[in-house]
Structure formats: C-alpha cells, structure tokens
Amino acid sequence: MSTSFLRMESICKNFGGVKALQNVDFEVHAGEIHCLAGENGCGKSTLIKIISGAHQASSGSIFIEGEEERRLTPIGSIKKGIQVIYQDFAIFPNLSVAENIAMNSALMQGKKRMDWKAARAMALEAMAKIGAHMDPDMLVERLSVSNRQMVAICRAILNDAKLLILDEPTTALTSYEVSMLYEILRNLKAKGMAIVIVNHKLEEIYEIADRLTILRNGENVATGPLGEFSRSRFIHCMTGREIIDSLYEPEISAEPILEVQALGREGSFSDVSFTLNKGDVLGITGLLGSGRGEIGDALFGIYPADTGTIALHGKPITIKSIKDATRHHIGYVPEDRLTQGLFLTRSIMDNTVAASIEKYFVKGRLDEEKMDAVTWEWIKRIGCVASDSKAPIRTLSGGNAQKMVIAKWMNINPSVLILNGPTVGVDIGSKFDIHTILHEFAKAGVGVIIISDDLSELYYNCNKLLVMEGGRSSGLMDTKTLTEEGLASLLHGNALEK
Amino acid sequence: MRTQITKSLTTNEAIVVYTIVALSLAIGFINPAFREFSTAITLSRAMLVTLIFAVLEMMVIVSGGIDVSFPAIACFSSYATLRLILAFDIDSVFFFYAVAGVMGIAFGLVNAFLIAKMELPALIATLGVSSVANGATLAFLGTKEYSNIPEGIDQLSKTFLFSYTNSNGITFQMTSLILIPLVLLILAYVVLRHTMLGRGIYAIGGDRFAARIAGFNVTRIQYIIYMTAGFLAAVGGVTYTILMRQGSPQNLMGSEMMVIAAVVVGGTRITGGHGTVFGTLSGVLLIAIVQNNLIMVGVPTHFQSFVVGLIIVLGTGITSIRAKRVANSSKV
C-alpha cells in the first residue's frame, strides 16, 4: 500500500520577488486518493505545474518512484506516468470521442499516420476500464461537461498513467455526476493508481480523500490521513483563523421591512408569504426546480409575480420590472456571478458603481474621483483583497469577486438585498467574510434574503427559513426550532407533510 | 447503423448536395441543354481554378485562420514568372510552376511569420500581405497584359483528356489541366483525414491551447499551412494564366470572397475546426452552377450576384444555426 510514488522535499518556487512556494513537502502513495486543499492563491496550481513539468522548482528535490528527478519537463513528466487533467480538460470539441482519447498517445509515439481503427479500439478499451459508455464517433461538442471529463480521464489513463492529478474536477458537475466521478476514481485507486484531487470543498474532500495536504500562502501547513482532520482543524488549517459556526440570533424587532402576501406566478410558485423584520436574515431553500430561485426573480422583477401583494416599510408596492425593483432599492446578487453578476473585462471600479452610476453623473460627466474613492471604501469595508481598483474584475478570485458584487448592490443603499447562492464557488475564508458582512447589513436595517441549497450556510446564517417544494412553501420557520439534520430531511421531501 | 445513415443524410454536406440536385433538376427541366454532357465539361473548366483556391482556403479556415491574400499571391507569382519567361525566353512548364511556386511559398512564409510568430489576426496579416503583393505587382512589374505565351507552355492549354460533340455538332473538350485540382482534392483528403499533420490542423482549429498541451507543434503546423497555401495560390495563378492563355497582373483580384463563400457554403465552419474536402467540392460546384447556368433559364446576369448572395446567406446561415443548435442542445 504505502509505496511512495511521488515525493517532493522542501520545494521552493519564486516568481520574481514573489515566493509562490516555500519549503513545501508533498508525498503521494500509489493506490491512494490524496486531496490537495487550500484557498485561492495558496500555491496549489504552482505545485501542480511543477509536478507536470510546466514550471521548474527554484529549489528542492523531487523523487519519482524513489529516483531523483533533476529536471522535470512536460514530456518527461508524462513519460514517468504523470497525467494532469486541467479544469477546462484541454480537449477538442470539434473532434470525435475516439480521436480525442487516442490523439495524445499517438503523438507521444511520434506517429505520422492517423489510424482510425486503432483510435476507436483504444477509446473503447479506455472507456471499458473506467466504465464509461459513449459513442466513440460522437463529436465532443455534443457531450455534457461530465462526459467531457470522462474523455479527459480516458485519455489520461491510456499512457500507463501512474499518477492522475485532477484540478478542481467537481466545479461544473451536478452532485450525481460527482458521485459517478468518485466511483471511477475509487476504481482507478483500487488498480493501484495514485490520484491527487485539487479541491477546496470540505464535504467533497471528506467523501473521497484518504490523505490530505493543506497549503496556505505557499507553505505546507498540514498533511496526514483524513482521520486526523476534524472539521474545525481542517477549516483552521485552510484559513489560518478560527471560524466558529454559531447560530445567527438577531435582536427581536417588530419593525417590518418587507411583507409578502400570497405571492405567486403561474407555473413556478404560488402562495408564498413571509415577513422580513429589521435584523432578520431570511433563508429560502428547496431542491432545484422547487421555485426557490423564482421567488428571487419575482421580487427583483425579472419574471414578475402575477398574484399577491408586496409591502415595503409598510407601503404597498408593485414590482413589474427590474426598474421597479431598483427604484424601490431592491438589490439582487444573481446565481451565476460570471455571466449575470459581473462585467468581467471591466475594472473593479466600473463594477462597483454599475448599479449606482447615476449618483456619479454630475453635469454630464462622470466623477471618476468619487467613483474611485467609493470603490476603495468598499474594498476595505468588505474585506476584498485587491491592489488596484482599475484592474479588470476577472483578475479577482471567486470570493473577492463575489464580495464586489455584493458591494455593487450595497452602494445603492438597498432596503432589501436578495442573494441567490451567495457563496457558490467561494473559498471558506471569503464565505465566512461574506456571512459576517451580511449580518452587519441586516443589523443596520437592510432586509437580507439568502436563497441557497447549502444547508449549513442557511442553518447558521438565517434566523428565518422558507422551504420550497414543488412551487409551494412550507411556511415560515424559526431556525432555532430546527437542527441541521432536521433541515436536511425537510429539504429532501416531506416538507409539507410535517 | 440506422442512426449513422440518418446522420450522414443530414450533414451540412448532404444539404448542399440536395440543393445542387434540386437546382440542376430545375434548370434541366426548363432548359434541356443543361442536361447534356457538355455541361459537365464547361462546369469543370469554370470550377478548375476556384477549386485549387478553395482547397487551400478550406485548409486555412479549418485551422482557425483565414487567407485573403491568395489572389494577390497568385497574380504576383504567375505574372512575375511569366515576365521572366518572356524576358529570357524560357519555354518550360516546369519552370513556370516551380519558380512561381517558390514565390508563393515566400509570401506564405511572410503570412506564417505574421500569424504564428507575431500572433497577428490572420485576417489582418493576409490583408496586409495581399495589399503588398498586389501593389508590388503593379508598381514593379507593370500593368501590361501578355497574350504571347511561349509555344511549349501554351501547348498545355491545348492538351485535352477527351472531347465530346453534342447534338448541334459543337465540340467540347475537357482540358487536361483539370487533373491539377483533382489530384489536389485527393491529396488534401488523404492529408487532412489520414495523417497526424492533418488532424493537427483540425486540432488547432478546435482549440489551440489544447493542441499545444497534446503535443502538437502549433507554430510549425501553422507555417506548413500558410506556406502550402502560398504555394497553392501560385499554382492556381499559373494554371489560370495557362488556361486563359493570357498573363494579367490583376484579373484574379477580388475572387477571394467568392472562394471563401464557396468553402463556407460547403459546410466549413468559419470559426474553424470543421470542414471536409467533399463539402468544399460541393460548395464550389453549387456556386459554379449558379454563376454559369442561371443564364440558361433566363435569369439576367445582374440578377446572378443577387442569387449567389442569397445562397451564401442561406448556406452560411444554415451552418451557423446548426452549430448554435449543437451548442445549446441538451448534451449526452
């Protein structure tokens, strides 16, 4: 079991003056699934690039199967049996499954002719090995993300791979697809392959990993069997700070911000009622398609409700369009930050003032100075790690970008802020920051609504909960009367029977 | 098996074939003259040079690029070589093709350098080279047209594979130059389909970075593509000169749009990665029929551009709608 396949000792890597890795030790055994965890920018990808030969370590030594490797090149690394599956899989959408799978090894062998028969046979063999079923003649552009990943895995294991490295393999997968992927990885592990998964999602790591290495700020902070890591130790190692989950209990207030009565929209949800008082954080949950997201869309006027009443600060309002919603100072952090929440190529400043631009429009000109000042104010207040307000927002990590989406809406002085999946794809530290900020806002009198399917997020951060099932609501519940397990069983059915 | 048959019956190439068949039936129904074998001979002659250009353009577009410089390269290299031939009295077909070919490759090298090394967008790079080549032709080589092609070279335009006499007693002859595009088509098919170099061209068109990671030498392949394109452009230019029995510094200019249109109508995606030799042949055939035979059913000449334009819009529209449908369709 514990024959070491790869051992790296005191690896350092500098980019100019920046120390990306400092004295990192990393060891992977054959026949184990090893998770490499750490927050964004901790050096995970640099370490992977050194293993794959794309970067050279500044100092330190690398041993593969006991032999020291002086200079690891990309080709050399592949020849040693190391295969990396990148997040975008690096596959060809315009070519068939068979060709995609067989192409790399044909190139490695320096073939000049394309042998279609051999490619098909190789593809079928590789698919049989991992138990995937795809038409080898189908073009990859017609495949789902999960099957594209299968193609990438098939291609990787063809060349007698001994170490398979997957860079954040679960990001775009549904939970069912994740479990299928894990099944395949367990099979490969049973055949003696070493597998490294780069991930930062706690639940997934606990499901699959045998051993764990955690990096932080380019340093190795902990490594060992999964059993040695309790949840709190894991989080502590990842973030370097104590994050204590405690229930959010606001001061009781009877001052209503938003009152919703019998809200409904044909075909998506009906009869949803709740009251959001000052200080409340309301959670709306339910399975995908239960209508949880549609309530947010209705309140923000994207797909307006057609029945029911909404009152803001005691006055009835109608929301028939997004313009209505913003006029009443309702903000909406959408589910998909990349396509709906951000202007990716524009600067952090442009994104921060995007919803409140008219405030800076003075005498026919934009007041750049004021915009910059307010951007910096938010960067500091919301704890975003950014060095330049003029840098494109896509240069920020997921967590920091999400903080700026929230800042954008806070800058309109919202009465109500609706957040759909506020911490999807956000690292643990930023997640904690975002929750803290939301609590601050709630205390300051902003009505906060969190739409999510992350149970612990809801349980610890909302004091009121609405569980949706099939377009109908369970009615408002007090989080204090629930346990996290109770909430889970509510979510997975029987919500209305209880 | 059945799904494979239905799949091959609904490809872009198949739709072009249906259009060709329908159009031919319609023209043949209205004007019986179209049904004669002589149509095949005149069409072959009309398609001859376009096919050479279409093969090179298809290869370039599949790799994710575009080449609008081939007419200028064709004109420069064939016209310059012809002037050498006339000045030094060199009466050799081989010399004509070889010297023009080397010039074409040189221009292709410039294109490749700009695109692969300087990473200029292919459209801009080839547009620039096109202008340079065309300007050089007019500035340094003159604007005179030559119809005094030396005897030996001119002989090639009078060599025929076979001849055919129709019912009215008019004789049609199939020029032996048709062998050039025929050989090219077969060669292109073999290279693109059955060599790693050919698959590399598709791979680059699909995803450049993935191609690099997979181990393709992307830069080298791009050099090969654009140099081959330059060579084929010269071959097309020389062939055109011999076929027309006239050397002109300008007459191919402006043909790039029709060639690109034919290639794209034939199912090659303008965004790269997809395209076949058979589709390209069909696309060229369809446009040649429209350009040469609509007149037989009484469509006025000036109306033909309109029809060709319509076919281009429809043909490329269908291709891109289908590509979008694939992108949005539920995946398996």
Side-chain angles (χ1 to χ4, degrees):
Chain A
M1 159 73 203
S2 58
T3 49
S4 157
F5 175 77
L6 169 78
R7 200 168 81 242
M8 303 171 88
E9 282 171 5
S10 31
I11 297 290
C12 296
K13 175 71 187 171
N14 306 327
F15 292 105
V18 182
K19 287 179 181 159
L21 292 175
Q22 297 177 60
N23 290 319
V24 170
D25 297 330
F26 185 57
E27 184 171 20
V28 189
H29 300 301
E32 73 164 359
I33 295 180
H34 196 118
C35 272
L36 181 60
E39 304 204 307
N40 290 313
C42 69
K44 285 176 300 189
S45 3
T46 312
L47 189 64
I48 298 295
K49 281 181 181 149
I50 289 174
I51 300 174
S52 72
H55 286 332
Q56 300 292 325
S58 307
S59 67
S61 33
I62 304 172
F63 300 89
I64 296 174
E65 291 182 300
E67 268 176 63
E68 179 157 15
E69 295 295 327
R70 295 248 167 248
R71 251 187 87 81
L72 207 52
T73 60
I75 301 280
S77 164
I78 291 170
K79 288 204 170 131
K80 289 280 168 192
I82 296 170
Q83 286 281 340
V84 183
I85 296 177
Y86 295 96
Q87 252 176 306
D88 62 356
F89 312 138
I91 53 176
F92 306 104
N94 58 326
L95 303 181
S96 73
V97 170
E99 205 179 350
N100 263 289
I101 294 176
M103 174 110 34
N104 290 27
S105 67
L107 278 168
M108 281 297 294
Q109 292 161 18
K111 291 216 171 121
K112 295 273 177 259
R113 264 190 63 236
M114 173 72 205
D115 187 343
W116 290 94
K117 253 193 197 154
R120 249 185 91 101
M122 278 165 100
L124 288 172
E125 186 200 320
M127 284 195 273
K129 237 186 226 170
I130 67 163
H133 303 281
M134 282 175 279
D135 177 358
D137 298 321
M138 186 169 263
L139 292 189
V140 165
E141 65 183 2
R142 306 195 64 119
L143 296 182
S144 65
V145 178
S146 141
N147 274 334
R148 285 177 198 212
Q149 188 173 50
M150 295 300 146
V151 170
I153 294 176
C154 283
R155 185 178 65 183
I157 62 170
L158 259 186
N159 303 315
D160 297 319
K162 292 174 187 157
L163 171 62
L164 190 62
I165 302 172
L166 298 103
D167 190 5
E168 310 231 355
T170 58
T171 317
L173 301 188
T174 65
S175 60
Y176 174 68
E177 289 166 341
V178 170
S179 62
M180 290 214 311
L181 172 69
Y182 283 179
E183 191 60 43
I184 287 168
L185 294 183
R186 284 194 195 99
N187 271 331
L188 292 175
K189 165 183 130 179
K191 288 176 185 155
M193 197 180 280
I195 294 167
V196 172
I197 301 177
V198 179
N199 203 336
H200 59 238
K201 287 186 198 155
L202 193 139
E203 279 78 16
E204 290 177 3
I205 291 172
Y206 275 84
E207 199 189 322
I208 184 92
D210 298 317
R211 292 201 316 136
L212 187 61
T213 294
I214 300 177
L215 297 183
R216 190 173 72 233
N217 298 330
E219 288 177 74
N220 188 320
V221 277
T223 187
L226 188 70
E228 287 177 8
F229 289 86
S230 66
R231 259 177 107 94
S232 59
R233 182 178 170 214
F234 177 85
I235 293 172
H236 180 73
C237 290
M238 288 273 283
T239 59
R241 52 189 184 187
E242 293 297 336
I243 291 178
I244 305 144
D245 288 329
S246 57
L247 286 182
Y248 173 65
E249 289 177 75
E251 285 171 42
I252 306 292
S253 159
E255 187 191 331
I257 297 174
L258 186 73
E259 292 158 281
V260 170
Q261 271 301 322
L263 200 69
R265 191 164 75 85
E266 188 84 44
S268 7
F269 63 92
S270 62
D271 203 19
V272 170
S273 306
F274 59 84
T275 305
L276 193 63
N277 287 336
K278 188 167 181 248
D280 278 349
V281 175
L282 169 71
I284 300 178
T285 186
L287 299 173
L288 205 65
S290 61
R292 62 161 203 249
E294 284 78 357
I295 297 176
D297 291 347
L299 289 175
F300 193 59
I302 301 171
Y303 300 109
D306 40 37
T307 54
T309 58
I310 304 169
L312 188 65
H313 294 302
K315 284 186 218 113
I317 58 169
T318 47
I319 297 173
K320 288 287 166 221
S321 66
I322 296 177
K323 205 146 187 73
D324 287 344
T326 50
R327 199 175 59 231
H328 293 295
H329 292 265
I330 295 175
Y332 187 55
V333 176
E335 197 169 12
D336 188 348
R337 154 173 82 242
L338 295 180
T339 61
Q340 301 173 334
L342 295 170
F343 301 96
L344 283 174
T345 55
R346 303 307 299 260
S347 68
I348 299 174
M349 179 181 90
D350 288 348
N351 273 282
T352 309
V353 300
S356 46
I357 190 83
E358 63 277 4
K359 276 205 276 188
Y360 307 97
F361 206 57
V362 188
K363 292 181 193 155
R365 291 185 62 222
L366 280 174
D367 188 343
E368 294 250 353
E369 255 169 60
K370 221 166 135 196
M371 279 157 60
D372 199 42
V374 81
T375 303
W376 278 111
E377 213 172 281
W378 278 113
I379 287 175
K380 286 191 193 107
R381 186 166 164 204
I382 214 153
C384 171
V385 183
S387 51
D388 182 4
S389 64
K390 303 289 197 309
I393 201 148
R394 67 180 151 74
T395 57
L396 295 183
S397 71
N400 286 321
Q402 184 72 334
K403 285 178 186 171
M404 294 322 291
V405 179
I406 294 172
K408 168 178 81 182
W409 287 112
M410 286 313 295
N411 203 35
I412 68 166
N413 303 320
S415 1
V416 177
L417 183 63
I418 305 160
L419 305 102
N420 197 346
T423 58
V424 174
V426 166
D427 57 87
I428 297 181
S430 302
K431 197 168 170 178
F432 177 74
D433 289 342
I434 287 174
H435 291 150
T436 315
I437 297 161
L438 291 179
H439 292 161
E440 264 172 41
F441 292 156
K443 277 179 200 147
V446 179
V448 178
I449 299 176
I450 298 177
I451 301 170
S452 175
D453 58 357
D454 180 339
L455 289 180
S456 56
E457 168 167 70
L458 293 163
Y459 186 71
Y460 291 109
N461 293 294
C462 306
N463 62 318
K464 287 179 176 175
L465 270 177
L466 204 59
V467 181
M468 297 294 296
E469 192 189 325
R472 294 199 291 156
S473 94
S474 61
L476 212 52
M477 286 181 289
D478 189 336
T479 313
K480 264 189 290 185
T481 64
L482 291 165
T483 59
E484 209 176 330
E485 292 73 34
L487 182 58
S489 73
L490 264 180
L491 181 60
H492 294 285
N494 322 327
L496 297 171
E497 287 160 31
K498 287 192 180 173
Chain B
M1 194 59 205
R2 170 167 288 182
T3 55
Q4 249 167 11
I5 292 170
T6 30
K7 230 194 278 172
S8 58
L9 288 178
T10 54
T11 56
N12 291 321
E13 286 85 359
I15 291 175
V16 183
V17 172
Y18 300 148
T19 318
I20 292 171
V21 170
L23 196 64
S24 305
L25 285 176
I27 298 174
F29 181 74
I30 298 169
N31 189 337
F34 183 78
R35 281 178 283 181
E36 291 202 27
F37 181 67
S38 57
T39 304
I41 294 176
T42 39
L43 270 179
S44 302
R45 196 182 154 87
M47 286 164 64
L48 206 156
V49 176
T50 315
L51 266 180
I52 299 175
F53 291 150
V55 168
L56 79 86
E57 191 64 60
M58 189 264 286
M59 178 185 72
V60 173
I61 294 181
V62 164
S63 80
I66 196 149
D67 185 354
V68 294
S69 65
F70 66 84
I73 296 177
C75 286
F76 180 93
S77 42
S78 62
Y79 190 69
T81 314
L82 181 65
R83 288 205 47 185
L84 278 178
I85 286 171
L86 293 174
F88 298 100
D89 213 7
I90 312 163
D91 190 1
S92 155
V93 172
F94 174 77
F95 180 86
F96 203 172
Y97 275 105
V99 173
V102 169
M103 290 182 194
I105 291 174
F107 277 111
L109 193 66
V110 178
N111 275 335
F113 174 77
L114 294 175
I115 293 160
K117 270 269 149 41
M118 309 293 290
E119 298 190 355
L120 277 171
L123 180 65
I124 307 298
T126 56
L127 209 54
V129 168
S130 168
S131 192
V132 168
N134 187 229
T137 317
L138 300 176
F140 303 127
L141 300 173
T143 52
K144 195 170 171 249
E145 303 212 339
Y146 298 94
S147 42
N148 51 335
I149 311 276
E151 189 62 29
I153 296 173
D154 199 34
Q155 198 55 43
L156 194 55
S157 69
K158 293 180 223 149
T159 337
F160 301 106
L161 293 180
F162 55 84
S163 59
Y164 165 81
T165 312
N166 74 356
S167 46
N168 298 333
I170 306 170
T171 304
F172 293 89
Q173 289 165 311
M174 178 67 101
T175 167
S176 50
L177 288 169
I178 193 72
L179 292 174
I180 293 175
L182 277 184
V183 169
L184 261 180
L185 286 171
I186 294 168
L187 221 65
Y189 172 79
V190 173
V191 170
L192 285 177
R193 179 86 189 150
H194 293 290
T195 67
M196 287 311 283
L197 171 67
R199 302 320 290 168
I201 295 176
Y202 283 87
I204 294 176
D207 189 328
R208 263 180 74 118
F209 298 102
R212 187 166 295 147
I213 292 173
F216 283 111
N217 187 339
V218 175
T219 313
R220 190 173 141 248
I221 294 178
Q222 281 184 316
Y223 268 92
I224 295 176
I225 292 169
Y226 287 98
M227 284 161 72
T228 310
F231 174 72
L232 292 182
V235 168
V238 172
T239 309
Y240 190 75
T241 308
I242 297 175
L243 191 68
M244 294 296 145
R245 307 178 65 190
Q246 189 188 45
S248 152
Q250 279 275 56
N251 53 9
L252 283 168
M253 294 305 291
S255 61
E256 64 272 14
M257 283 308 146
M258 199 53 81
V259 169
I260 293 171
V263 168
V264 175
V265 166
T268 302
R269 274 193 218 163
I270 196 84
T271 45
H274 298 262
T276 61
V277 168
F278 179 71
T280 303
L281 175 63
S282 321
V284 173
L285 179 60
L286 176 59
I287 290 198
I289 291 177
V290 173
Q291 278 188 320
N292 294 286
N293 299 91
L294 271 192
I295 202 152
M296 294 174 89
V297 292
V299 177
T301 324
H302 55 266
F303 205 69
Q304 279 171 28
S305 316
F306 179 78
V307 176
V308 171
L310 216 59
I311 286 181
I312 292 169
V313 171
L314 282 178
T316 50
I318 290 171
T319 322
S320 75
I321 287 170
R322 292 178 128 229
K324 202 169 274 171
R325 273 234 314 256
V326 169
N328 294 335
S329 66
S330 58
K331 308 289 196 292
V332 291

